[in-house]
Amino acid sequence: MRIYVLGICVLLSKIAMGQEKYPKDIFQSPMDIPLVLAGTFGELRSNHFHAGIDIKTQRREGLPIYAIADGTVTRIKISHWGYGKALYVAHPSGHTSVYAHLQKFGPGIEEYIKKAQYKKQSYEIELFPDYGELKVEKGNVIAYSGNSGSSAGPHLHFEIRNSVTEKPTNPLLYGYEVRDATNPTLISLFGYPLSDDAVVNQSAKKVQLNYSKQADGSFLADKVNAIGTIGFGFNSFDRQDLAANKNGVYSVKQRVNGKIFSEYDFETFSFAETRYINTLIDYEHFGKYKQRVQKAFKEPSNRLSIYNTMHNDGKITIQEGLSYTVELLISDYEDNEIKLVIPVEGKREEIKIPRNDDKTENFVIASKPNNYDLGAAKVYFPSNTFYEDFYINLKKGKDTITIHDNSVAAHRNFTISFDASPYNASERKQMFIARLDLKDNPRYHRTYKRDNAFTTRTRSFGRYTLAKDTVAPTIKPRNFKEKQWLSNYSYLSLEISDDLSGIYSYRATLNGKWILMEYEPKKKTITYNFDDNILDKTQCDLKVIVTDNVGNTTTFEQTFFRK
């Protein structure tokens, strides 16, 4: 049994004694280079908030990563995607630091994880060492920076979490210095008619609003004529002084005639709520333009805990004949702020742009389960798959079905089931459920097969069909040839790829012994490090077997020599 109970008891006692919420003098920097950020805490990402800060590593890999304080390793996870190689360290202060997208781990930890990988015969692995089994001291090298997992470039993803609640908190709260004297940038502003009788600038639909920069640096919107309950949304980003990255802002405040109507910041959040980001942004706008407009008002389905102040859910009721001054204050962590003033006049005008909701024959009630038979397939939406009720666009087909479009977000997975009985057993073996992209190229979706029933679970709308993959994966050596002497080589590298359904598994042996191949799907490479020292013969017979997601298999065999 792990000795976590003792650690948690100590932790709780320290919290009870009134320990500072965000101590600023106990953690050192995880790197010995200036902290320049490629991503900020709480930044808006697809279906989630960014749970840490992304520290730029000067476009390099292999820079040392240091333990920010004394602690013990509580979790190590290696995966092809996501965080890639990630390390979790619990500290006596009640915090857990997280280091992700690593190239490799530090001394002791690397040996520990490789031993487990060889025992399990798997590159992907997740371990939970006993409390105190892998102790680290402040300033120890615990890893090296990399680009593993879903990283788009070399950097360190760094988090600080509460060890009890596991809620991530903004690392900058703990005294880390990032040079930032630059105000956020405002991209666009929108007005939203929210009630049935609401109109903004003669529009019953969302409308983009014009604004201009003033002499004092603030922004002034053109006067808005409106009636009914309305709200505002904006698109913005922030830049630090030493980077061109368009990062997220830290806090947003909305005032109406001097009174705070809504206020939120990115101090902390819970992983359980992060998908509700889809209610904070205008998801329909995102689906169409790939721009994340943040709403200064709160939708009924919004369960986020990031709000500090909320009056009338941030919605503004405009009465005819009255004037209102709305202010949006958008700040970064260093309190650099942009101020946007929106004058609103309560005025009833002719509607030139009606609401015109697109109605279909199928209306989804979000709180209830919904089943649809679309001919080629059936679709099942569990209750609360969606955030609100809406008319869903569904198209039947003999081979292909269409499920709405990307203007609506799904909070939970729904199920698509195809009947594969028209195909014989050998054909079914090579078939899978595919989502068609804009060019009609099929993209593999994990397919569960039970006799003639093919099922997938997804949150993505679009066109789905059954596709067939008859071509086996390819395997090519990258840095060696048949019968070559590799005595001075430090690693073996091969390229593996599949043209359609994608790689499902790979396995490599040397002289019949399993070897650890590190798979980098972004580069389509698998790599073996000779430092593993499992070779006991001069002649080395390499065998690599790669299988795609429908079971097509390729075997590669080659001999090399090494002393």
Side-chain angles (χ1 to χ4, degrees), residues 376-378 399 401 416-420 433 452-455 464-466:
K378 295 180 180 179
D399 303 305
I401 64 169
I416 306 172
S417 299
F418 276 84
D419 178 11
I433 296 176
N452 297 327
F454 284 22
T455 302
Y464 287 86
T465 190
L466 289 179

Side-chain angles (χ1 to χ4, degrees), residues 63-267:
L63 300 182
I65 307 298
Y66 303 99
I68 62 172
D70 293 349
T72 180
V73 176
T74 55
R75 184 184 180 194
I76 307 168
K77 186 175 182 180
I78 297 178
S79 55
H80 296 145
W81 298 106
Y83 280 7
K85 293 186 177 183
L87 187 68
Y88 300 72
V89 179
H91 306 285
S93 59
H95 304 89
T96 293
S97 54
V98 182
Y99 315 80
H101 304 309
L102 305 172
Q103 181 191 68
K104 62 179 180 179
F105 302 99
I109 303 173
E110 181 77 5
E111 290 77 7
Y112 178 90
I113 193 69
K114 275 201 173 183
K115 182 178 179 181
Q117 287 173 310
Y118 270 93
K119 183 178 180 180
K120 188 181 177 183
Q121 295 192 359
S122 173
Y123 170 69
E124 289 194 299
I125 198 167
E126 185 172 18
L127 299 174
F128 298 90
D130 289 337
Y131 199 91
E133 184 178 1
L134 287 177
K135 291 183 179 180
V136 299
E137 294 182 358
K138 185 176 184 177
N140 283 167
V141 175
I142 55 174
Y144 296 89
S145 66
N147 188 32
S148 59
S150 299
S151 170
H155 72 279
L156 171 67
H157 174 86
F158 173 65
E159 300 178 16
I160 297 180
R161 302 181 182 181
N162 181 299
S163 295
V164 176
T165 66
E166 295 189 356
K167 290 178 65 174
T169 53
N170 195 326
L172 300 185
L173 294 165
Y174 298 90
Y176 293 114
E177 294 186 5
V178 176
R179 287 180 55 181
D180 187 359
T182 306
N183 287 342
T185 298
L186 183 63
I187 300 174
S188 54
L189 174 68
F190 297 88
Y192 291 81
L194 299 177
S195 59
D196 291 339
D197 62 338
V199 181
V200 177
N201 286 351
Q202 298 184 296
S203 174
K205 294 182 177 181
K206 173 188 72 180
V207 60
Q208 187 164 355
L209 305 174
N210 296 320
Y211 57 86
S212 57
K213 193 169 186 178
Q214 305 300 294
D216 63 356
S218 66
F219 293 88
L220 177 64
D222 293 351
K223 187 176 73 171
V224 174
N225 292 327
I227 204 75
T229 301
I230 68 171
F232 292 99
F234 66 92
N235 184 12
S236 72
F237 64 84
D238 184 50
R239 278 197 173 112
Q240 278 73 46
D241 292 354
L242 301 177
N245 301 76
K246 296 180 179 180
N247 297 332
V249 300
Y250 177 70
S251 68
V252 177
K253 182 184 295 185
Q254 177 186 224
R255 291 196 297 237
V256 181
N257 294 341
K259 181 176 180 177
I260 298 176
F261 265 50
S262 62
E263 181 181 14
Y264 62 90
D265 62 40
F266 293 104
E267 172 188 335

Side-chain angles (χ1 to χ4, degrees), residues 2 8 10 95 153 195 204 206 228 235 243 246 261 324 330 349 369 382 403 416 441 454 473 497 510 525 535:
R2 300 184 190 131
I8 291 176
V10 172
H95 304 89
S195 59
K206 173 188 72 180
N235 184 12
K246 296 180 179 180
F261 265 50
Y324 305 80
I330 305 166
E349 297 181 307
I403 307 173
I416 306 172
N441 296 316
F454 284 22
S497 63
L510 270 178
T525 60
L535 298 176

